[in-house]
C-alpha cells in the first residue's frame, strides 16, 4: 500500500454509497488504500448533518483510528464534498497527526446559484498540500472561482479538472466517456498526487 486515504462521505450519502465504494476500488488498484467512515448523523439514520464541531471531531477520530490500524502507512485525508471540507476545517484548526496532504473530491465552495469563496477562507491556515479534483459542471464550485482559490494557496494547492464532470463527476453521454473511465481518471490523478506528497 503506497498510501492510506482517510475518506469522508458527502452530506447526502454515507460511506457505502456507490461512488464511495467505486472510488475506493479503483484507488486500491493503484495502491491507495481507503479508510471510510460515517459521520454520527448518518450512522444514526438522520438526514441533517451534525454541527461542524462534531463533524470535525469525527474526522480527528477517524484519522487516529486509521493510523492505529495501519501503522507506518503514509496518510492522506479528505473526502467527497462536505466530508472534504470538514477535513480541511479540522486541519486548519489543529494539524491532523501524520497526515501528509488533503484530497478533495468536489470541494463545495458555495451553494448552487450563490457563488462565493467564503467557505474556502479557512484553507489559508492549512499548511500541507491540497488536491482539488473538480468537474467543469460542478454547481457547487464555479470553476473560475475554485481556480482562484487554488491559485491563492500557491504551491500547496493542485487543481485537477474533470472535463464535463458535475459535482458527482457524472459526465454527459455526448462526451463518450464511461462512468468507469471517469473514476479511473479521478483515481489516477489522486494516486499521482499522493505519490508526490508521501514520498
Amino acid at each position: 500500500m503506497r498510501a492510506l486515504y482517510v475518506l469522508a462521505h458527502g452530506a447526502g450519502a454515507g460511506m457505502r454509497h456507490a461512488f464511495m465504494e467505486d472510488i475506493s476500488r479503483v484507488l486500491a488498484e493503484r495502491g491507495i488504500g481507503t479508510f471510510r467512515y460515517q459521520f454520527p448523523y448518518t450512522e444514526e439514520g438522520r438526514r441533517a448533518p451534525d454541527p461542524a464541531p462534531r463533524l470535525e471531531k469525527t474526522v480527528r477520530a477517524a484519522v487516529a483510528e486509521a493510523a492505529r490500524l495501519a501503522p507506518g502507512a503514509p496518510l492522506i485525508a479528505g473526502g467527497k464534498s462536505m466530508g472534504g471540507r470538514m477535513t480541511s476545517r479540522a486541519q486548519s484548526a489543529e494539524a491532523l497527526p501524520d497526515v501528509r496532504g488533503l484530497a478533495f473530491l468536489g470541494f463545495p465552495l458555495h451553494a448552487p446559484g450563490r457563488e462565493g469563496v467564503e467557505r474556502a477562507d479557512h484553507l489559508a491556515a492549512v499548511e500541507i498540500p491540497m488536491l482539488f479534483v473538480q468537474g467543469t459542471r460542478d454547481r457547487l464550485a464555479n470553476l473560475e472561482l475554485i481556480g482562484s482559490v487554488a491559485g491563492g494557496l500557491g504551491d500547496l494547492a493542485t487543481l485537477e479538472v474533470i472535463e464535463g464532470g458535475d459535482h458527482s463527476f457524472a459526465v454527459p453521454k455526448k462526451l463518450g466517456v464511461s462512468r468507469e473511465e471517469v473514476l479511473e481518471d479521478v483515481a489516477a490523478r489522486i494516486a499521482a498526487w499522493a505519490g508526490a506528497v508521501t514520498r
Side-chain angles (χ1 to χ4, degrees):
M1 182 169 60
R2 294 165 50 199
L4 180 60
Y5 185 11
V6 185
L7 179 61
H9 62 79
M15 69 179 189
R16 295 179 184 86
H17 184 269
F19 174 84
M20 298 290 286
E21 293 190 344
D22 290 342
I23 197 66
S24 296
R25 171 178 51 79
V26 293
L27 283 169
E29 293 167 359
R30 287 163 176 76
I32 308 294
T34 54
F35 180 88
R36 288 179 284 156
Y37 61 97
Q38 304 261 81
F39 287 113
Y41 76 95
T42 305
E43 193 70 14
E44 295 162 8
R46 294 182 285 109
R47 297 186 66 177
D50 300 298
R54 192 177 190 201
L55 297 175
E56 294 168 32
K57 183 178 180 181
T58 304
V59 169
R60 291 193 178 283
V63 167
E65 182 65 4
R68 186 187 71 81
L69 291 173
L75 296 181
I76 59 174
K80 184 74 187 80
S81 193
M82 180 202 75
R85 181 168 172 259
M86 289 303 110
T87 303
S88 61
R89 281 177 55 108
Q91 173 70 29
S92 71
E94 182 183 348
L96 296 164
D98 301 319
V99 170
R100 311 275 191 91
L102 304 181
F104 309 117
L105 304 178
F107 188 90
L109 188 59
H110 52 73
R114 299 175 61 184
E115 295 181 359
V117 297
E118 294 80 10
R119 289 185 181 177
D121 287 348
H122 67 280
L123 296 177
V126 173
E127 299 179 343
I128 57 175
M130 289 167 274
L131 172 68
F132 297 81
V133 184
Q134 303 287 152
T136 58
R137 296 188 305 119
D138 190 339
R139 296 179 63 237
L140 275 66
N142 172 284
L143 192 61
E144 185 175 336
L145 289 181
I146 200 72
S148 70
V149 167
L153 296 168
D155 293 342
L156 286 179
T158 300
L159 174 62
E160 294 286 354
V161 176
I162 304 301
E163 186 62 39
D166 64 11
H167 191 58
S168 297
F169 303 111
V171 301
K173 288 184 179 180
K174 65 182 180 182
L175 293 183
V177 181
S178 71
R179 177 68 169 165
E180 186 69 14
E181 288 173 318
V182 172
L183 290 170
E184 295 279 355
D185 186 18
V186 170
R189 297 180 195 224
I190 295 171
W193 170 84
V197 301
T198 60
R199 71 163 62 107

